[in-house]
């Protein structure tokens, strides 16, 4: 069975972009892959954050993952910092990653822009992400389009390691969806929807109250003109609404375009708002029930970390051996 690995940061409430770009594919893939999914808390500490909230956010993130349909009986769910092999492998991979490669990463450029104190962790983030993937010999990595460049780097690191030290790592393939791979901010459709955006006006959180969800979607910034057409470059606002509508109603974008052909933008906004509210309702109900029993969540994470650690520590031993380090 092929293996799949992906992660999400506990940096805030999960939004529609995370769900449509990544999580719904995690759920689909848990049935046909040996699936490993983690909450990447060590990535979350590379930017300013509130230590007093991190543990609770980690639990809440896991509850949201379970609420959207991840099943611990099918997938291994764990927290990155509970499996020390990730950071151990990262150190080894530091030595096969070039400074120039990291400097070219657009996420680093975006997140460091305008900050006076940029952590070395933010710069090294893509190496830890490569370690997250390679330490499980993952075949596929379901991510949104924003992670394409990091995935390419992980592939390069694996190939370079294998060339230099022998065949140790599987070179992973990105699994980037055809629809909604980059969900845009509703208030600013030139930018991707992001947990850390300065305003939440254009971000639909999975846990947002229904009235807020409806208001955010109905107030979405749309493009000039009146024609309903899918064209992300020329019509980013309308194309974004079409993608969201298609995803939450489980249809193709073409079907949605056909439904709204000849109608005004207002119609599409109202229908998308209603469909999204209906889609989120059962997820929110499941989340509330899961959060009533945080002990059950920590138990799932403890089982997941044990299984993940077993796999991951074997790979670290293989990598160290290939690199010529003295066995302990
Ligand atoms: N707007 C998006 N559209 C489609 N996919 C997206 N993803 C993120 N934003 C969009 C995908 O969600 C997964 C988890 O993301 P992450 O938590 O690792 O962090 P990120 O990619 O940096 O996402 P955010 O929301 O912008 O978080 P912050 O603000 O904390 O950095 C990934 O697979 C990602 O591709």
């Amino acid at each position: 069975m092929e293996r799949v690995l992906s992660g999400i940061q506990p940096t805030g409430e999960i939004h529609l972009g995370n769900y449509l770009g990544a999580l719904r594919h995690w759920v689909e893939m848990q049935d046909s892959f040996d699936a490993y999914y983690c909450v990447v808390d060590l990535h979350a500490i590379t930017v300013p954050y509130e230590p007093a909230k991190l543990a609770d956010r980690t639990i809440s993130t896991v509850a949201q993952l379970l609420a959207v349909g991840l099943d611990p009986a099918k997938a291994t769910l764990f927290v990155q910092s509970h499996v020390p092999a990730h950071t151990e492998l990262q150190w080894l991979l530091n030595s096969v990653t070039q400074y120039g490669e990291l400097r070219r990463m657009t996420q680093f450029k975006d997140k460091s822009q305008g900050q006076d104190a940029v952590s070395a962790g933010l710069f090294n983030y893509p190496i830890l992400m490569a370690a997250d993937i390679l330490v499980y010999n993952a075949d596929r990595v379901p991510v949104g389009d924003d992670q394409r460049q990091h995935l390419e780097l992980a592939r390069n690191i694996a190939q370079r390691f294998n060339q230099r030290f022998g065949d140790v790592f599987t070179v992973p393939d990105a699994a980037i969806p055809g629809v909604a791979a980059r969900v845009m901010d509703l208030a600013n459709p030139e930018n991707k929807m992001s947990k850390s955006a300065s305003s939440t006006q254009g971000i639909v959180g999975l846990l947002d109250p229904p009235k807020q969800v409806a208001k955010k979607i109905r107030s979405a910034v749309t493009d000039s003109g009146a024609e309903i057409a899918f064209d992300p470059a020329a019509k980013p606002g309308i194309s974004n609404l079409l993608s969201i509508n298609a995803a939450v109603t489980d249809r193709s974008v073409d079907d949605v375009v056909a439904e709204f052909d000849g109608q005004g933008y207002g119609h599409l906004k109202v229908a998308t708002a209603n469909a999204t509210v209906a889609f989120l309702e059962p997820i929110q109900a499941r989340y509330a029930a899961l959060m009533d029993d945080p002990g059950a969540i920590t138990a799932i994470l403890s089982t997941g970390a044990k299984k993940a650690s077993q796999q991951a520590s074997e790979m670290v031993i293989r990598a160290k051996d290939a690199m010529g380090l003295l066995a302990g």
Side-chain angles (χ1 to χ4, degrees):
M1 206 185 219
E2 281 200 324
R3 184 167 291 162
V4 74
L5 174 290
S6 200
I8 183 161
Q9 302 186 71
T11 38
E13 197 183 315
I14 297 179
H15 54 72
L16 267 187
N18 300 132
Y19 177 73
L20 301 178
L23 305 185
R24 71 181 165 137
H25 306 288
W26 296 16
V27 174
E28 276 161 26
M29 292 173 111
Q30 69 181 347
D31 287 319
S32 43
F33 286 83
D34 179 18
Y36 284 75
Y37 299 128
C38 52
V39 176
V40 287
D41 52 350
L42 297 173
H43 286 288
I45 62 173
T46 61
V47 288
Y49 72 101
E50 291 180 68
K53 290 191 176 161
L54 184 58
D56 285 347
R57 282 198 162 160
T58 302
I59 290 287
S60 165
T61 301
V62 178
Q64 289 172 72
L65 295 179
L66 296 167
V68 299
L70 285 187
D71 178 353
K74 295 178 180 170
T76 305
L77 279 183
F78 63 100
V79 175
Q80 183 188 34
S81 66
H82 295 176
V83 184
H86 290 231
T87 41
E88 200 176 356
L89 181 61
Q90 186 206 356
W91 185 258
L92 304 180
L93 298 181
N94 273 334
S95 62
V96 292
T97 309
Q98 289 157 15
Y99 172 74
E101 288 178 309
L102 296 176
R103 262 189 17 176
R104 284 195 290 276
M105 293 294 116
T106 53
Q107 182 171 294
F108 174 72
K109 289 185 200 163
D110 291 346
K111 290 199 171 179
S112 57
Q113 206 174 30
Q115 308 287 331
D116 15 274
V118 175
S119 75
L122 186 63
F123 189 66
N124 285 322
Y125 179 119
I127 312 180
L128 180 57
M129 180 166 156
D132 297 336
I133 299 164
L134 303 184
V135 85
Y136 298 101
N137 261 342
D139 300 282
R140 302 256 234 127
V141 186
V143 283
D145 184 61
D146 61 318
Q147 294 297 331
R148 194 184 287 274
Q149 193 186 30
H150 285 165
L151 236 298
E152 202 45 50
L153 179 63
R155 289 171 54 83
N156 290 342
I157 292 173
Q159 279 159 345
R160 196 173 304 139
F161 186 102
N162 288 349
Q163 253 163 22
R164 188 152 161 216
F165 301 113
D167 232 359
V168 172
F169 295 117
T170 300
V171 179
D173 284 321
I176 295 175
V179 176
R182 185 176 284 262
V183 176
M184 308 312 275
D185 187 305
L186 293 167
N188 186 0
E190 311 287 325
N191 291 343
K192 74 158 194 158
M193 198 176 274
S194 179
K195 290 191 223 90
S196 51
S198 51
S199 154
T200 56
Q201 205 195 332
I203 297 158
V204 176
L206 294 191
L207 305 177
D208 280 354
K211 275 192 179 149
Q212 227 176 70
V213 172
K215 188 168 172 220
K216 285 176 180 176
I217 297 179
R218 284 200 312 261
S219 327
V221 169
T222 38
D223 326 289
S224 56
E227 193 203 352
I228 304 269
F230 187 74
D231 183 348
K235 286 177 162 282
I238 286 298
S239 303
N240 199 33
L241 288 174
L242 289 168
S243 293
I244 292 173
N245 192 309
V248 299
T249 58
D250 204 14
R251 291 182 295 172
S252 72
V253 169
D254 285 347
D255 284 351
V256 182
V257 172
E259 183 191 341
F260 291 98
D261 187 30
Q263 301 185 33
Y265 287 174
H267 230 82
L268 173 64
K269 284 186 191 178
V270 170
T272 305
N274 293 342
T276 307
V277 167
F279 172 78
L280 292 179
E281 202 185 346
I283 293 175
Q284 296 185 353
R286 280 196 295 274
Y287 174 80
L290 286 156
M291 287 302 281
D292 277 344
D293 189 3
I297 296 177
T298 46
I300 290 169
L301 294 175
S302 156
T303 307
K306 276 196 198 101
K307 186 171 168 216
S309 289
Q310 237 168 23
Q311 291 289 334
S313 46
E314 274 176 33
M315 280 309 293
V316 171
I317 292 170
R318 281 184 59 194
K320 281 171 139 176
D321 182 48
M323 291 178 88
L325 294 163
L326 179 65

